[in-house]
Amino acid sequence: MNDNSTLQVTINGEPRRQPAGSVADLVRSLGLDPAKVAVERNLEIVPRSTLAEVAIANGDKFEIVHFVGGG
């Protein structure tokens, strides 16, 4: 079955189908807070201030690191 409404992306080495949207949407879909992540898209850092403006594209490869606070 081919779902044309989603894009094929790779996140931290794992393939995933993802609805079209912004990088911030992608981060939220993973249950993460866009304010607490560092995102690399196709080997380039995406500035946190632009996560909501950058659209994901079919075939994009992401490395996402989230920060965990604690004492």
Side-chain angles (χ1 to χ4, degrees), residues 40-65:
E40 182 183 270
R41 174 184 179 228
N42 301 328
L43 303 176
E44 292 189 20
I45 297 293
V46 181
R48 189 174 301 131
S49 63
T50 66
L51 291 179
E53 301 165 12
V54 177
I56 62 173
N58 200 41
D60 277 350
K61 294 181 180 179
F62 295 94
E63 293 293 328
I64 300 175
V65 176

Side-chain angles (χ1 to χ4, degrees), residues 3-71:
D3 184 355
N4 291 326
S5 65
T6 60
L7 304 172
Q8 179 69 47
V9 298
T10 302
I11 301 172
N12 295 349
E14 298 291 327
R16 178 183 172 106
R17 301 291 308 176
Q18 181 70 30
S22 70
V23 175
D25 295 332
L26 169 69
V27 170
R28 285 189 203 94
S29 76
L30 298 170
L32 302 172
D33 181 348
K36 298 180 179 176
V37 297
V39 178
E40 182 183 270
R41 174 184 179 228
N42 301 328
L43 303 176
E44 292 189 20
I45 297 293
V46 181
R48 189 174 301 131
S49 63
T50 66
L51 291 179
E53 301 165 12
V54 177
I56 62 173
N58 200 41
D60 277 350
K61 294 181 180 179
F62 295 94
E63 293 293 328
I64 300 175
V65 176
H66 71 278
F67 304 105
V68 178

